Amino acid sequence: MPNSLGRILVTGGAGFMGSHLCERLVDAGHDVICLDNFFTSQKRNIQHLLTRPNFELIRHDVTHPVWLEVDEIYNLACPAAPGHYQYNPIKTMKTSVMGAINVLGMGKRCRARVLQASTSEVYGDPEVHPQPESYRGNVNCIGPRACYDEGKRAAETLFFDYHRANRVNIRVARIFNTYGPRMHPFDGRVVSNFIRQALRNEDITLFGEGAQTRSFCYVDDLVDGLIRLMAAPDDCTGPINLGNPREFTVRRLAELTIELTGSKSKLVHRPLPADDPSQRQPDITLATQRLGWKPTVELREGLARTIEYFRSIRFEDFRPPTPNY
Ligand code: NAD
Ligand code: UDP
């Protein structure tokens, strides 16, 4: 239901990206159900929505079935930062696979559109550059990143099998590195690490030489892409890349963060983690053609907004992932 108001479920809706998506959907007048188990997020991300009459919050784990009546489902529930998804790798795989089965079952029963937040990690350490959707990837299936990469690959398989076998109306977005306000300050991702370190004048930790590249997309642009994909015609199943095609080295990101924060931090080198992709850049030709979408926020501007957010929070209010998941 692209143009009318509907009831929309956002799994992982209290997370970094999910909270921005919920906000946009609530502002547009939809009835939004945010479902989250708060493994990697805090209620503060959606606190400002709790008083809105068209917003509901459910504490639930997507690995268990849930019975709801909805028109659209955005499936974002999954730890996304390497430190978070490696914390309990078996649970990460279960979240991707069983979470996909549960939302697809709901989509089948309710005839709802179901959008999967997949990832550029399905390309692994890519040998093709930039990465088009047709590239099948280079993933180490037994490495420390596999619980996430292979979990997301299996979820894509489930989406396309439910589509072919049960005619479920699916959308699969392959999301590249996204950043912005409400990132968890201790999630270990490069943007949050560098800003936190810079604001405290601590050493900035470059893994390896910092020559590896990433393409950073500001969260507002990404959320816009997700909403366009959900509203697109039914043959627009994807997979479709969503990300900012401007590629930067990790060293350049560190230098820019120091410049924008006015920090006295020094760059230090740490060992490169296993299977760390050396380059990553989305080919967004398909998203531009099919969705009329391309990112608009430059890294300098998006980083400045993210730094402003990090200045506004107290780091000691944030906790590591919830134990026992
Ligand atoms: P995040 O960790 O901030 O958000 C994930 C949310 O899912 C959290 O609120 C967490 O508590 C919740 N969650 C985790 N396991 C759950 C479970 N079993 N049941 C219910 N809720 C659960 O991460 P994010 O960056 O906002 O990522 C959102 C989605 O986008 C994820 O699926 C991630 O894989 C995908 N993605 C993100 C990026 C990125 O750069 N941020 C890139 C590619 C894909
Ligand atoms: N990285 C880094 N220093 C840090 C954190 C990360 O140099 O303190 C590097 C990391 O090795 C990777 C890149 O930054 O090459 C992006 O890491 P992130 O964990 O944000 O995301 P992903 O590897 O999943 O793209």
Side-chain angles (χ1 to χ4, degrees):
M1 72 162 50
N3 296 315
S4 53
L5 297 177
R7 189 180 301 144
I8 304 181
L9 170 66
V10 181
T11 76
F16 154 55
M17 216 182 305
S19 62
H20 287 274
L21 177 62
C22 286
E23 194 173 283
R24 282 278 292 275
L25 297 172
V26 166
D27 285 346
H30 297 284
D31 260 329
V32 176
I33 304 174
C34 165
L35 181 151
D36 207 296
N37 70 351
F38 297 103
F39 174 43
T40 61
S41 57
Q42 260 92 350
K43 268 191 228 149
R44 72 180 64 236
N45 283 350
I46 38 99
Q47 203 162 9
H48 60 297
L49 297 175
L50 291 173
T51 51
R52 304 282 292 268
N54 54 337
F55 181 78
E56 279 172 86
L57 175 64
I58 299 176
R59 182 187 281 263
H60 183 79
D61 188 314
V62 284
T63 60
H64 299 287
V66 59
W67 196 274
L68 296 166
E69 311 298 330
V70 293
D71 304 300
E72 293 178 353
I73 305 168
Y74 289 86
N75 186 37
L76 272 62
C78 186
H84 284 170
Y85 67 65
Q86 289 169 18
Y87 177 88
N88 184 342
I90 296 162
K91 175 71 192 212
T92 298
M93 180 72 97
K94 281 187 184 171
T95 296
S96 272
V97 173
M98 293 160 72
I101 291 171
N102 288 330
V103 295
L104 286 161
M106 192 189 301
K108 180 180 167 190
R109 180 176 55 78
C110 301
R111 296 204 179 86
R113 288 188 178 181
V114 194
L115 183 148
Q116 167 68 355
S118 190
T119 169
S120 54
E121 296 286 342
V122 300
Y123 302 125
D125 190 1
E127 292 153 317
V128 169
H129 196 70
Q131 295 83 55
E133 291 82 355
S134 55
Y135 177 51
R136 292 188 184 175
N138 177 35
V139 173
N140 174 7
C141 70
I142 56 168
R145 297 174 79 100
C147 59
Y148 182 72
D149 303 7
E150 297 290 6
K152 289 284 188 180
R153 286 172 70 94
E156 285 201 15
T157 305
L158 283 160
F159 266 71
F160 278 86
D161 281 337
Y162 269 77
H163 176 62
R164 281 186 291 258
N166 293 323
R167 307 166 82 89
V168 176
N169 193 335
I170 61 155
R171 319 285 146 134
V172 174
R174 289 185 179 156
I175 302 168
F176 284 64
N177 295 66
T178 301
Y179 70 98
R182 304 198 197 123
M183 289 184 89
H184 193 301
F186 297 103
D187 66 11
R189 287 192 260 204
V190 70
V191 173
S192 26
N193 262 12
F194 286 2
I195 297 178
R196 196 191 69 245
Q197 290 162 344
L199 289 178
R200 292 168 150 182
N201 293 311
E202 292 170 356
D203 288 345
I204 293 206
T205 51
L206 283 185
F207 295 169
E209 291 305 308
Q212 67 273 39
T213 67
R214 293 293 185 271
S215 307
F216 299 101
C217 188
Y218 189 66
V219 64
D220 288 357
D221 281 332
L222 203 284
V223 165
D224 184 49
L226 293 178
I227 291 173
R228 281 174 189 247
L229 178 57
M230 187 64 106
D234 286 352
D235 67 337
C236 200
T237 57
I240 193 159
N241 288 339
L242 293 179
N244 193 321
R246 281 211 60 192
E247 189 182 6
F248 291 85
T249 63
V250 164
R251 174 181 286 278
R252 177 69 195 123
L253 177 74
E255 290 164 354
L256 193 57
T257 308
I258 291 177
E259 182 197 323
L260 293 175
T261 50
S263 172
K264 297 187 180 64
S265 294
K266 302 269 176 298
L267 303 186
V268 298
H269 294 277
R270 296 280 178 270
L272 193 64
D275 297 335
D276 198 279
S278 58
Q279 52 182 6
R280 191 183 285 152
Q281 182 190 26
D283 178 338
I284 60 162
T285 310
L286 197 59
T288 308
Q289 285 171 351
R290 294 299 317 264
L291 311 178
W293 177 84
K294 66 174 191 307
T296 58
V297 181
E298 290 294 332
L299 181 60
R300 176 178 283 274
E301 186 190 337
L303 210 49
R305 290 187 209 166
T306 313
I307 290 167
E308 204 179 300
Y309 167 77
F310 271 66
R311 282 193 200 279
S312 76
I313 57 174
R314 291 174 359 136
F315 293 142
E316 54 275 23
D317 288 343
F318 290 81
R319 50 170 174 68
T322 315
N324 306 321
Y325 273 105

